[in-house]
Amino acid sequence: MSSRGSLFVISGPSGSGKSSLANRALEDIPNLRFSVSHTTRKPRAGEQDSREYFFVSQEKFQEMVEESGFIEHACVYGYDYGTSEESVEALRQEGFDVLLDIDVQGGRQVRESHPEAVLVFVFPPSLEVLTRRLKDRKSDDENVITRRLNTAKEEINAYRKYQYVIINDDYEESVSELKAIIQDTGSAFRLENRHDRAEEIIKTFWEN
Ligand code: 5GP
């Protein structure tokens, strides 16, 4: 492989389904690699160090921040998360396209430091569906769900700075859209073509 790979960012509220979409794209696109983030949160059941995340101490994370080891970093739900500059660069130099699954604060930092990055925002079809999905997970209690929904209300507005919008109603359709974006055939899902539907969904977030 010769030319430097591209950089993709996928963001969206918790429960939007962005991580499962990202996983499918990673399975289906051979040249695409996942950027494994560093985090100070503890592993959940089934998670493995250096696969889902590099699980590090607060001290180690701070050290990396001070050494400017991160392309971006942010505090999400009380824990720190960051994307290592070195590993992303190494993959891109090898010619791999790299996908970052990060929150909207991170997305903003990447947009500023890497203007060539392609940013994709995943919408739930409505607040109602998002609430149902979070409840169906059964992993979080009521307080956590309420907190996630409140965060979603704020972060969903950040979509306006993303170039592509996926409205994750039908999962298989969304998978094809994400793949089309990464493989550069997804112009129909560009922000300007999705703006009206996205604004309709945002309205549902503020109705009650
Ligand atoms: P979780 O802890 O549930 O895996 O992720 C919580 C949130 O943190 C998700 O929105 C995820 O996209 C985001 N996240 C994961 N890694 C990073 C990262 O390296 N940087 C930033 N800014 N957000 C991240």
PDB file of all heavy atoms in Angstrom, residues 98-125:
ATOM      1  N   VAL A  98      -8.857   5.006   8.547  1.00  0.00           N
ATOM      2  CA  VAL A  98      -9.042   4.832   9.987  1.00  0.00           C
ATOM      3  C   VAL A  98     -10.371   5.425  10.422  1.00  0.00           C
ATOM      4  O   VAL A  98     -10.737   6.527  10.014  1.00  0.00           O
ATOM      5  CB  VAL A  98      -7.876   5.496  10.765  1.00  0.00           C
ATOM      6  CG1 VAL A  98      -8.058   5.299  12.270  1.00  0.00           C
ATOM      7  CG2 VAL A  98      -6.535   4.924  10.325  1.00  0.00           C
ATOM      8  N   LEU A  99     -11.101   4.662  11.257  1.00  0.00           N
ATOM      9  CA  LEU A  99     -12.407   5.097  11.745  1.00  0.00           C
ATOM     10  C   LEU A  99     -12.345   5.372  13.257  1.00  0.00           C
ATOM     11  O   LEU A  99     -11.934   4.518  14.027  1.00  0.00           O
ATOM     12  CB  LEU A  99     -13.436   3.990  11.468  1.00  0.00           C
ATOM     13  CG  LEU A  99     -14.878   4.243  11.898  1.00  0.00           C
ATOM     14  CD1 LEU A  99     -15.469   5.455  11.191  1.00  0.00           C
ATOM     15  CD2 LEU A  99     -15.739   3.008  11.615  1.00  0.00           C
ATOM     16  N   LEU A 100     -12.743   6.589  13.638  1.00  0.00           N
ATOM     17  CA  LEU A 100     -12.801   6.953  15.056  1.00  0.00           C
ATOM     18  C   LEU A 100     -14.257   6.987  15.495  1.00  0.00           C
ATOM     19  O   LEU A 100     -15.061   7.680  14.869  1.00  0.00           O
ATOM     20  CB  LEU A 100     -12.223   8.348  15.317  1.00  0.00           C
ATOM     21  CG  LEU A 100     -10.912   8.771  14.676  1.00  0.00           C
ATOM     22  CD1 LEU A 100     -10.514  10.164  15.181  1.00  0.00           C
ATOM     23  CD2 LEU A 100      -9.814   7.786  14.984  1.00  0.00           C
ATOM     24  N   ASP A 101     -14.594   6.251  16.546  1.00  0.00           N
ATOM     25  CA  ASP A 101     -15.946   6.301  17.131  1.00  0.00           C
ATOM     26  C   ASP A 101     -15.803   7.172  18.370  1.00  0.00           C
ATOM     27  O   ASP A 101     -15.371   6.708  19.427  1.00  0.00           O
ATOM     28  CB  ASP A 101     -16.369   4.862  17.467  1.00  0.00           C
ATOM     29  CG  ASP A 101     -17.681   4.780  18.253  1.00  0.00           C
ATOM     30  OD1 ASP A 101     -18.143   5.804  18.790  1.00  0.00           O
ATOM     31  OD2 ASP A 101     -18.227   3.672  18.349  1.00  0.00           O
ATOM     32  N   ILE A 102     -16.109   8.454  18.227  1.00  0.00           N
ATOM     33  CA  ILE A 102     -15.844   9.396  19.323  1.00  0.00           C
ATOM     34  C   ILE A 102     -17.035  10.336  19.525  1.00  0.00           C
ATOM     35  O   ILE A 102     -17.896  10.456  18.651  1.00  0.00           O
ATOM     36  CB  ILE A 102     -14.550  10.210  19.070  1.00  0.00           C
ATOM     37  CG1 ILE A 102     -14.662  11.053  17.805  1.00  0.00           C
ATOM     38  CG2 ILE A 102     -13.335   9.297  19.015  1.00  0.00           C
ATOM     39  CD1 ILE A 102     -13.439  11.927  17.538  1.00  0.00           C
ATOM     40  N   ASP A 103     -17.040  11.029  20.652  1.00  0.00           N
ATOM     41  CA  ASP A 103     -18.177  11.912  20.936  1.00  0.00           C
ATOM     42  C   ASP A 103     -18.028  13.237  20.178  1.00  0.00           C
ATOM     43  O   ASP A 103     -17.021  13.456  19.492  1.00  0.00           O
ATOM     44  CB  ASP A 103     -18.332  12.132  22.452  1.00  0.00           C
ATOM     45  CG  ASP A 103     -17.492  13.281  22.946  1.00  0.00           C
ATOM     46  OD1 ASP A 103     -16.315  13.401  22.519  1.00  0.00           O
ATOM     47  OD2 ASP A 103     -18.003  14.099  23.737  1.00  0.00           O
ATOM     48  N   VAL A 104     -19.024  14.112  20.340  1.00  0.00           N
ATOM     49  CA  VAL A 104     -19.036  15.339  19.525  1.00  0.00           C
ATOM     50  C   VAL A 104     -17.956  16.341  19.931  1.00  0.00           C
ATOM     51  O   VAL A 104     -17.499  17.126  19.090  1.00  0.00           O
ATOM     52  CB  VAL A 104     -20.428  16.019  19.549  1.00  0.00           C
ATOM     53  CG1 VAL A 104     -21.472  15.128  18.910  1.00  0.00           C
ATOM     54  CG2 VAL A 104     -20.853  16.407  20.955  1.00  0.00           C
ATOM     55  N   GLN A 105     -17.515  16.296  21.196  1.00  0.00           N
ATOM     56  CA  GLN A 105     -16.411  17.190  21.600  1.00  0.00           C
ATOM     57  C   GLN A 105     -15.144  16.787  20.861  1.00  0.00           C
ATOM     58  O   GLN A 105     -14.398  17.623  20.356  1.00  0.00           O
ATOM     59  CB  GLN A 105     -16.126  17.084  23.099  1.00  0.00           C
ATOM     60  CG  GLN A 105     -17.319  17.272  24.008  1.00  0.00           C
ATOM     61  CD  GLN A 105     -16.967  16.873  25.442  1.00  0.00           C
ATOM     62  OE1 GLN A 105     -16.215  17.581  26.106  1.00  0.00           O
ATOM     63  NE2 GLN A 105     -17.486  15.757  25.903  1.00  0.00           N
ATOM     64  N   GLY A 106     -14.925  15.471  20.773  1.00  0.00           N
ATOM     65  CA  GLY A 106     -13.773  14.959  20.036  1.00  0.00           C
ATOM     66  C   GLY A 106     -13.891  15.257  18.549  1.00  0.00           C
ATOM     67  O   GLY A 106     -12.914  15.608  17.895  1.00  0.00           O
ATOM     68  N   GLY A 107     -15.112  15.113  18.039  1.00  0.00           N
ATOM     69  CA  GLY A 107     -15.347  15.377  16.617  1.00  0.00           C
ATOM     70  C   GLY A 107     -14.942  16.810  16.259  1.00  0.00           C
ATOM     71  O   GLY A 107     -14.312  17.051  15.228  1.00  0.00           O
ATOM     72  N   ARG A 108     -15.286  17.732  17.162  1.00  0.00           N
ATOM     73  CA  ARG A 108     -14.944  19.143  16.898  1.00  0.00           C
ATOM     74  C   ARG A 108     -13.417  19.334  16.857  1.00  0.00           C
ATOM     75  O   ARG A 108     -12.882  20.000  15.978  1.00  0.00           O
ATOM     76  CB  ARG A 108     -15.565  20.030  17.986  1.00  0.00           C
ATOM     77  CG  ARG A 108     -15.237  21.501  17.807  1.00  0.00           C
ATOM     78  CD  ARG A 108     -16.021  22.412  18.743  1.00  0.00           C
ATOM     79  NE  ARG A 108     -16.298  21.849  20.062  1.00  0.00           N
ATOM     80  CZ  ARG A 108     -15.431  21.798  21.082  1.00  0.00           C
ATOM     81  NH1 ARG A 108     -14.234  22.283  20.957  1.00  0.00           N
ATOM     82  NH2 ARG A 108     -15.781  21.266  22.233  1.00  0.00           N
ATOM     83  N   GLN A 109     -12.726  18.686  17.793  1.00  0.00           N
ATOM     84  CA  GLN A 109     -11.263  18.826  17.825  1.00  0.00           C
ATOM     85  C   GLN A 109     -10.621  18.230  16.576  1.00  0.00           C
ATOM     86  O   GLN A 109      -9.681  18.798  16.019  1.00  0.00           O
ATOM     87  CB  GLN A 109     -10.692  18.165  19.072  1.00  0.00           C
ATOM     88  CG  GLN A 109     -11.136  18.823  20.367  1.00  0.00           C
ATOM     89  CD  GLN A 109     -10.774  17.955  21.590  1.00  0.00           C
ATOM     90  OE1 GLN A 109      -9.659  17.467  21.723  1.00  0.00           O
ATOM     91  NE2 GLN A 109     -11.724  17.742  22.471  1.00  0.00           N
ATOM     92  N   VAL A 110     -11.143  17.091  16.138  1.00  0.00           N
ATOM     93  CA  VAL A 110     -10.567  16.453  14.941  1.00  0.00           C
ATOM     94  C   VAL A 110     -10.816  17.340  13.715  1.00  0.00           C
ATOM     95  O   VAL A 110      -9.942  17.505  12.862  1.00  0.00           O
ATOM     96  CB  VAL A 110     -11.147  15.031  14.716  1.00  0.00           C
ATOM     97  CG1 VAL A 110     -10.712  14.463  13.380  1.00  0.00           C
ATOM     98  CG2 VAL A 110     -10.743  14.108  15.846  1.00  0.00           C
ATOM     99  N   ARG A 111     -12.018  17.925  13.658  1.00  0.00           N
ATOM    100  CA  ARG A 111     -12.328  18.789  12.511  1.00  0.00           C
ATOM    101  C   ARG A 111     -11.331  19.951  12.435  1.00  0.00           C
ATOM    102  O   ARG A 111     -10.887  20.327  11.367  1.00  0.00           O
ATOM    103  CB  ARG A 111     -13.748  19.334  12.656  1.00  0.00           C
ATOM    104  CG  ARG A 111     -14.300  19.920  11.387  1.00  0.00           C
ATOM    105  CD  ARG A 111     -15.735  20.389  11.533  1.00  0.00           C
ATOM    106  NE  ARG A 111     -15.858  21.470  12.489  1.00  0.00           N
ATOM    107  CZ  ARG A 111     -16.529  21.420  13.633  1.00  0.00           C
ATOM    108  NH1 ARG A 111     -17.148  20.310  13.990  1.00  0.00           N
ATOM    109  NH2 ARG A 111     -16.592  22.452  14.437  1.00  0.00           N
ATOM    110  N   GLU A 112     -10.959  20.465  13.613  1.00  0.00           N
ATOM    111  CA  GLU A 112     -10.017  21.591  13.618  1.00  0.00           C
ATOM    112  C   GLU A 112      -8.595  21.165  13.302  1.00  0.00           C
ATOM    113  O   GLU A 112      -7.908  21.829  12.527  1.00  0.00           O
ATOM    114  CB  GLU A 112     -10.076  22.308  14.974  1.00  0.00           C
ATOM    115  CG  GLU A 112     -11.318  23.190  15.048  1.00  0.00           C
ATOM    116  CD  GLU A 112     -11.719  23.585  16.457  1.00  0.00           C
ATOM    117  OE1 GLU A 112     -10.918  23.388  17.394  1.00  0.00           O
ATOM    118  OE2 GLU A 112     -12.848  24.084  16.612  1.00  0.00           O
ATOM    119  N   SER A 113      -8.160  20.039  13.874  1.00  0.00           N
ATOM    120  CA  SER A 113      -6.759  19.651  13.669  1.00  0.00           C
ATOM    121  C   SER A 113      -6.545  18.876  12.371  1.00  0.00           C
ATOM    122  O   SER A 113      -5.447  18.844  11.845  1.00  0.00           O
ATOM    123  CB  SER A 113      -6.264  18.813  14.845  1.00  0.00           C
ATOM    124  OG  SER A 113      -7.028  17.632  14.938  1.00  0.00           O
ATOM    125  N   HIS A 114      -7.597  18.226  11.869  1.00  0.00           N
ATOM    126  CA  HIS A 114      -7.476  17.407  10.649  1.00  0.00           C
ATOM    127  C   HIS A 114      -8.609  17.778   9.694  1.00  0.00           C
ATOM    128  O   HIS A 114      -9.602  17.043   9.584  1.00  0.00           O
ATOM    129  CB  HIS A 114      -7.556  15.915  10.985  1.00  0.00           C
ATOM    130  CG  HIS A 114      -6.409  15.411  11.789  1.00  0.00           C
ATOM    131  ND1 HIS A 114      -6.212  15.751  13.106  1.00  0.00           N
ATOM    132  CD2 HIS A 114      -5.371  14.608  11.448  1.00  0.00           C
ATOM    133  CE1 HIS A 114      -5.109  15.167  13.544  1.00  0.00           C
ATOM    134  NE2 HIS A 114      -4.578  14.468  12.561  1.00  0.00           N
ATOM    135  N   PRO A 115      -8.477  18.909   9.017  1.00  0.00           N
ATOM    136  CA  PRO A 115      -9.594  19.365   8.170  1.00  0.00           C
ATOM    137  C   PRO A 115      -9.942  18.383   7.042  1.00  0.00           C
ATOM    138  O   PRO A 115     -11.028  18.467   6.473  1.00  0.00           O
ATOM    139  CB  PRO A 115      -9.100  20.699   7.593  1.00  0.00           C
ATOM    140  CG  PRO A 115      -7.741  20.932   8.128  1.00  0.00           C
ATOM    141  CD  PRO A 115      -7.342  19.824   9.023  1.00  0.00           C
ATOM    142  N   GLU A 116      -9.042  17.458   6.767  1.00  0.00           N
ATOM    143  CA  GLU A 116      -9.331  16.474   5.711  1.00  0.00           C
ATOM    144  C   GLU A 116     -10.256  15.352   6.207  1.00  0.00           C
ATOM    145  O   GLU A 116     -10.743  14.541   5.410  1.00  0.00           O
ATOM    146  CB  GLU A 116      -8.011  15.883   5.168  1.00  0.00           C
ATOM    147  CG  GLU A 116      -7.344  14.797   6.028  1.00  0.00           C
ATOM    148  CD  GLU A 116      -6.626  15.330   7.288  1.00  0.00           C
ATOM    149  OE1 GLU A 116      -6.766  16.526   7.617  1.00  0.00           O
ATOM    150  OE2 GLU A 116      -5.933  14.527   7.944  1.00  0.00           O
ATOM    151  N   ALA A 117     -10.491  15.290   7.527  1.00  0.00           N
ATOM    152  CA  ALA A 117     -11.301  14.191   8.087  1.00  0.00           C
ATOM    153  C   ALA A 117     -12.733  14.261   7.568  1.00  0.00           C
ATOM    154  O   ALA A 117     -13.284  15.333   7.341  1.00  0.00           O
ATOM    155  CB  ALA A 117     -11.284  14.262   9.610  1.00  0.00           C
ATOM    156  N   VAL A 118     -13.334  13.090   7.416  1.00  0.00           N
ATOM    157  CA  VAL A 118     -14.730  12.993   6.969  1.00  0.00           C
ATOM    158  C   VAL A 118     -15.571  12.662   8.196  1.00  0.00           C
ATOM    159  O   VAL A 118     -15.342  11.643   8.852  1.00  0.00           O
ATOM    160  CB  VAL A 118     -14.868  11.891   5.897  1.00  0.00           C
ATOM    161  CG1 VAL A 118     -16.331  11.682   5.526  1.00  0.00           C
ATOM    162  CG2 VAL A 118     -14.033  12.237   4.674  1.00  0.00           C
ATOM    163  N   LEU A 119     -16.528  13.543   8.515  1.00  0.00           N
ATOM    164  CA  LEU A 119     -17.297  13.383   9.754  1.00  0.00           C
ATOM    165  C   LEU A 119     -18.722  12.924   9.470  1.00  0.00           C
ATOM    166  O   LEU A 119     -19.446  13.547   8.679  1.00  0.00           O
ATOM    167  CB  LEU A 119     -17.322  14.705  10.526  1.00  0.00           C
ATOM    168  CG  LEU A 119     -16.030  15.036  11.295  1.00  0.00           C
ATOM    169  CD1 LEU A 119     -15.005  15.697  10.401  1.00  0.00           C
ATOM    170  CD2 LEU A 119     -16.328  15.933  12.476  1.00  0.00           C
ATOM    171  N   VAL A 120     -19.122  11.850  10.133  1.00  0.00           N
ATOM    172  CA  VAL A 120     -20.442  11.256   9.917  1.00  0.00           C
ATOM    173  C   VAL A 120     -21.217  11.278  11.241  1.00  0.00           C
ATOM    174  O   VAL A 120     -20.708  10.817  12.263  1.00  0.00           O
ATOM    175  CB  VAL A 120     -20.311   9.775   9.477  1.00  0.00           C
ATOM    176  CG1 VAL A 120     -21.670   9.179   9.138  1.00  0.00           C
ATOM    177  CG2 VAL A 120     -19.333   9.632   8.315  1.00  0.00           C
ATOM    178  N   PHE A 121     -22.432  11.803  11.190  1.00  0.00           N
ATOM    179  CA  PHE A 121     -23.253  11.872  12.399  1.00  0.00           C
ATOM    180  C   PHE A 121     -24.415  10.894  12.287  1.00  0.00           C
ATOM    181  O   PHE A 121     -25.128  10.889  11.279  1.00  0.00           O
ATOM    182  CB  PHE A 121     -23.784  13.297  12.596  1.00  0.00           C
ATOM    183  CG  PHE A 121     -24.313  13.535  13.980  1.00  0.00           C
ATOM    184  CD1 PHE A 121     -23.497  14.103  14.949  1.00  0.00           C
ATOM    185  CD2 PHE A 121     -25.603  13.176  14.322  1.00  0.00           C
ATOM    186  CE1 PHE A 121     -23.969  14.311  16.249  1.00  0.00           C
ATOM    187  CE2 PHE A 121     -26.080  13.377  15.615  1.00  0.00           C
ATOM    188  CZ  PHE A 121     -25.270  13.945  16.579  1.00  0.00           C
ATOM    189  N   VAL A 122     -24.623  10.090  13.320  1.00  0.00           N
ATOM    190  CA  VAL A 122     -25.717   9.113  13.296  1.00  0.00           C
ATOM    191  C   VAL A 122     -26.873   9.602  14.173  1.00  0.00           C
ATOM    192  O   VAL A 122     -26.698   9.842  15.365  1.00  0.00           O
ATOM    193  CB  VAL A 122     -25.249   7.720  13.772  1.00  0.00           C
ATOM    194  CG1 VAL A 122     -26.400   6.724  13.718  1.00  0.00           C
ATOM    195  CG2 VAL A 122     -24.082   7.232  12.919  1.00  0.00           C
ATOM    196  N   PHE A 123     -28.028   9.756  13.548  1.00  0.00           N
ATOM    197  CA  PHE A 123     -29.245  10.171  14.227  1.00  0.00           C
ATOM    198  C   PHE A 123     -30.103   8.968  14.569  1.00  0.00           C
ATOM    199  O   PHE A 123     -30.214   8.056  13.754  1.00  0.00           O
ATOM    200  CB  PHE A 123     -30.102  11.002  13.248  1.00  0.00           C
ATOM    201  CG  PHE A 123     -30.015  12.476  13.449  1.00  0.00           C
ATOM    202  CD1 PHE A 123     -28.892  13.168  13.042  1.00  0.00           C
ATOM    203  CD2 PHE A 123     -31.068  13.175  14.014  1.00  0.00           C
ATOM    204  CE1 PHE A 123     -28.813  14.535  13.203  1.00  0.00           C
ATOM    205  CE2 PHE A 123     -30.999  14.540  14.187  1.00  0.00           C
ATOM    206  CZ  PHE A 123     -29.868  15.224  13.782  1.00  0.00           C
ATOM    207  N   PRO A 124     -30.765   9.006  15.736  1.00  0.00           N
ATOM    208  CA  PRO A 124     -31.867   8.057  15.923  1.00  0.00           C
ATOM    209  C   PRO A 124     -33.051   8.635  15.144  1.00  0.00           C
ATOM    210  O   PRO A 124     -33.081   9.843  14.900  1.00  0.00           O
ATOM    211  CB  PRO A 124     -32.128   8.138  17.427  1.00  0.00           C
ATOM    212  CG  PRO A 124     -31.730   9.541  17.792  1.00  0.00           C
ATOM    213  CD  PRO A 124     -30.628   9.948  16.853  1.00  0.00           C
ATOM    214  N   PRO A 125     -34.047   7.843  14.768  1.00  0.00           N
ATOM    215  CA  PRO A 125     -35.166   8.397  13.995  1.00  0.00           C
ATOM    216  C   PRO A 125     -36.023   9.379  14.793  1.00  0.00           C
ATOM    217  O   PRO A 125     -36.671  10.227  14.198  1.00  0.00           O
ATOM    218  CB  PRO A 125     -35.984   7.185  13.587  1.00  0.00           C
ATOM    219  CG  PRO A 125     -35.323   5.997  14.134  1.00  0.00           C
ATOM    220  CD  PRO A 125     -34.121   6.387  14.906  1.00  0.00           C
TER     221      PRO A 125
END
